[in-house]
Amino acid sequence: MNIETKLTSFLGKEIKDATKKELYDALRNYVYEQIQDRPLTVGEKKLYYISAEFLTGKQLGKNLINLGIYEEVNTLLDKNNISLSEVEALEPEPSLGNGGLGRLAACFLDSIATLDMNGDGIGLLYHFGLFKQEFQNNKQFETPDAWLKDNAAIHKTNISFPVSLAGETYQSVMYDFDVIGYKKGHTKLHLFDLESVDESIVKDGIRFDKKDIKKNLTLFLYPDDSDKDGQLLRIYQQYFMVSNAAQLILQEQKQLGHSLRDLDKYVAIQINDTHPSMIIPELIRLLMLEGMTMKEAADIITNTCGYTNHTILSEALEKWPLEYLNEVVPQLIPIINGLDFATVCAYHNNPHLSIIDKEHRVHMASLDIHYSHSTNGVANLHTEILKNQELRSFFKNYPYRFNNKTNGISFRRWLMHSNPELSSYIDELIGETWKENPYELERLFYFYNDEGVLNRLEQIKYNNKVRFANYIKEKEGIEIDPNSIICAQIKRMHEYKRQQMNALWIIYEYLKIKQGILPPRPITIIFGGKAAPAYIMAKNIIHLILTLEELIEKDPEVNKWLKVVMIKNYNVEVAEKLIPACDISEQISLASKEASGTGNMKFMLNGAVTLGTLDGANVEIRDLVGQDNIYIFGRNSQEVINLYNTNGYHSIDFYNGSESIHRSVDFITSEELSKHGDYTLLKELQDNLKNKDWFMTLLDLESYCGVKEVAIYDYENREKWKRMMLSNIARAGFFSSDRTIYEYNNDIWHLK
Ligand code: 26Q
C-alpha cells in the first residue's frame, strides 16, 4: 500500500483535511509499522552502550530519512499545502541529555544501526529530563520539561527487574525506543523507569523531596547534588540504571544458551563516562552468585568492558564516599573492597592507582581503568593528555589499554536532515555515495575554482540564515539580519568553555562602536546553553550575556551594528536550525580542557569556519583543513598545562597590563550596564575574572579579539570566504560517527 493510501486510512479522512497533529500521529504510526517490518540486527556478539544521557533529538524526521521516504512524504504533504517540518515540530523533543556526551551517544546509536551492528543502548527514562530553561530579569530559571506527555515514540515493554536499593526492592519497567539505521539496521534503546515515580511532587521550579526515592528516582537527569541527599539520589539513579542493565544482559545471554563464563565472547559493554561505572562491581557480584570466584568474575568482566573518558576536569571525575555507597548499595561494598584490595596488593599501595583513597572515597574512573580492557579518550589531544598527564600512572601500568577514538557526528541528522538544501546540492555535484562513504565529500574540491558552485554555496548559506531568522522570529520574537555575519557559541555553560571571553569581546566591540569605529558589516552573536542549577558562576555568565543583549538592543547607535542573542532552552531542534545558518563557529575553550567538542564538527560540515583554540578536535579540524581555512588563537595546551603546574597565571597582571582588557573588564560593573542587570552578580563575575579566573580568560582575550577581527574582515573577501566554506565541507568526512563506530568495533568491541 502506498504512503498516501496508508495515511488516509490512518486519518480516516483526506490528507488536506487533516490537522498537523493528526498528520503527526498518522506519520508516527506509519513509521512504527515500517520499523516492525525491519528485523532487529542480530549477530554472535552484542554490544551494550550504557549511558546516563541519550540526547536523541526528535525522531520523526530522522526516521523518515533513514527509511528513505522523507522526500516522498515531503512532496505528498506539499501537494496538500502542508509543511512537513511544521508537522515534525509538533513532536516533543526528548529531554534525555545535557550536552556533548549525550548527543554523542545518540549519534553512536544511529551509526551502530546504520552499520548493521548488533548493539543496544541502555539508560534511564527521566520524566522531566534535564530541565527547561527560562529567562526572567536576565537570569536563568529552571522548570520541569514535561516532554514525556503525548510522546509515543517510546514503547512500554513487559520486561521488569527487581533492584535492591538501601535494602528495599524496587521493580523496574523497561521502555524501548526504536533506533532505525540509514537504509539498513534496527536496534533498540532501552530506558528503565519506576512505576511509582510521581511527577506531582515537583514544586516551585524543579524542587522536590530528595529523600522520597520511590517517587523521585527518575524525575530528573543530574538532580542537584550540592548536598548529601542529592548525592545519594545520584547513587540511587546510577545503581538503578546499571543493575537493570546487568540483569538484562545476563538474561539475554542465558536465553541464547550462552555460558556466562563466555560472557566476553558474546558481549561487549561500553561505559560512557563514569556514571555507569557501578556496572563493573554489579556484574562481578552477579557472576559470583552464579558460582564464580571474584578473580574469575573480575577477569571476565575486565575482558567484557570498555571505558570512555570524556573529561579531564577533576570535579567531573566521580568519587563517591564509601559510606554513601554503603547506605544505598551495601551489596556492592564487599566487591568494591575486594577489587581495591587486589589492586593495592598488585600495585604496592601506589596512591595514584588506588580505587579507594585515604578519605575513603571510591574513584569511579580508577575502577573502570583497572577492570576494563580499554580506556579511550575522545580526540587525539585529549587521549595524549590522559596518557601523559591526568592518567599517567595508569598509562604506565596498562599502556596497551589506552587508545583514542576521535568523536564523530551522524551526517543523517547534521547534514541531510538539518540542511536539506546543501545536502541535495552535494548530491547534484558528486552523487549520493558520500552518504555511505563520507570521505567522498573530498570530491567537492573539484569545484574549488568553479564560480557557479561557490556562489551557490553562498546562496544556500544565505537561505539558511533567512530560514533561521524566520524560526527565531516566530519562536522568540527576535529579529536577526540575514546579511549580518552570524557567529555562534552553543554548548553547556561552563567557565572552561569561556562564554565569558566572548562576552568580553562583545564589550570590546560595543566600546569601539561607541567611539565611531564600525565593523565592515553588522555582526550577530548567538549563544545557546544551559547552566547547571547549582553552578553560580555559569549562571552569572548567562546574566552578563543577557544584560549585554538588553543594553545593546536599546542603544540605537550600536544595535545597527551589533546584536546579541541568547536563545532560551537551547536543544537539538535549535541546533539543527542554527548550525546551517552560521558563518563563524566559536570553539574557544581553554586549550587542554575541552575533551573533543562535537558542535565544532557540525558547524564545519555545514560550511562555517572555526574560530578557536588548539583544543580537543579543533586540532584535528586544523590538520584537515589547513591553517588557511581556520582561525586559531591563544596559548596551546602545553603552555596552559605549564601555567597550571607552575602556578604561573595571575589574571590581575593581564588586567593591569592591557588597556583594552582593563576597560572591558571594568565595563562589567559600569553604571551603563548595571542599569540592565544585577550589580551584585556582575561584580561577583568581575571579581572572579580579576582575582581568580581559573580558566584563564584574560590570558587569551587580546589574541581572541585580534583574530576575531581578522575573521570579520576576511568575511568581506567573499571569494576567499566561499572557498573556505567549501574546504571545510569537503574535509569533514573524517568526522562521520560511522567512522568512529567502525574504529570502536575494530579495536574494542569486535562484533563481526
Ligand atoms: C559529574 C559529577 C557530578 C555531576 C555531574 C557530572 C557530569 C555530568 C555531565 C559530568 C560530565 C557531564 C558531561 C560531560 C560532557 O558532555 N562531556 C563532553 O563530551 C563530549 C563527547 O565526548 C565532548 O565532545 C566534550 O568535549 C565534552 O565536554
Side-chain angles (χ1 to χ4, degrees), residues 583-637:
D583 298 305
I584 296 181
S585 152
E586 306 247 14
Q587 308 300 335
I588 62 178
S589 55
L590 175 63
S592 79
K593 295 295 178 193
E594 187 69 272
S596 163
T598 45
N600 45 3
M601 303 167 186
K602 294 163 196 165
F603 282 111
M604 173 192 190
L605 178 64
N606 284 273
V609 181
T610 305
L611 166 61
T613 48
L614 281 178
D615 200 12
N618 296 351
V619 179
E620 286 157 82
I621 295 180
R622 193 266 327 252
D623 292 345
L624 284 160
V625 299
Q627 299 272 33
D628 295 343
N629 294 302
I630 189 166
Y631 294 92
I632 297 293
F633 69 91
R635 305 299 202 276
N636 66 32
S637 54

Side-chain angles (χ1 to χ4, degrees), residues 100-101 222 225 234 275 310 316 378 407 492 496 594-597:
L101 169 153
Y222 304 135
D225 64 353
R234 298 261 326 250
H275 318 129
H310 295 266
V378 289
N407 283 165
R492 290 180 291 133
Y496 87 78
E594 187 69 272
S596 163

Side-chain angles (χ1 to χ4, degrees), residues 356-455:
I356 304 177
D357 67 16
K358 288 206 179 66
E359 282 126 58
H360 308 289
R361 292 177 311 176
V362 181
H363 291 229
M364 304 315 276
S366 307
L367 189 63
D368 291 319
I369 303 169
H370 283 300
Y371 294 98
S372 70
H373 64 99
S374 162
T375 291
N376 76 280
V378 289
N380 276 331
L381 176 68
H382 170 59
T383 302
E384 287 309 306
I385 293 174
L386 292 180
K387 289 188 335 196
N388 302 323
Q389 320 274 338
E390 301 302 306
L391 301 176
R392 212 165 115 195
S393 310
F394 284 101
F395 176 56
K396 278 198 190 146
N397 252 285
Y398 307 114
Y400 48 89
R401 286 190 184 177
F402 281 73
N403 62 96
N404 176 249
K405 294 287 164 284
T406 298
N407 283 165
I409 56 173
S410 161
F411 286 16
R412 269 78 62 187
R413 183 174 291 272
W414 296 108
L415 186 57
M416 290 162 67
H417 187 255
S418 67
N419 198 344
E421 201 183 344
L422 179 58
S423 177
S424 49
Y425 187 49
I426 293 173
D427 291 349
E428 225 177 275
L429 293 174
I430 61 169
E432 289 200 46
T433 48
W434 62 272
K435 290 173 182 165
E436 269 132 315
N437 178 8
Y439 288 109
E440 301 244 330
L441 287 175
E442 298 240 344
R443 288 166 58 189
L444 291 171
F445 276 120
Y446 181 75
F447 304 99
Y448 192 73
N449 290 314
D450 186 323
E451 213 176 305
V453 171
L454 294 171
N455 288 343

Side-chain angles (χ1 to χ4, degrees), residues 34 44 46 76 193 217 232 278 358 440 449 474 501 533 600 611 625 632 706 720-721 724:
Q34 300 300 302
E44 198 187 39
K46 182 163 180 178
L76 176 62
D193 194 11
L217 186 65
L232 289 176
M278 275 189 275
K358 288 206 179 66
E440 301 244 330
N449 290 314
E474 187 164 319
M501 189 160 72
N600 45 3
L611 166 61
V625 299
I632 297 293
K720 174 176 173 163
W721 196 272
M724 287 207 283

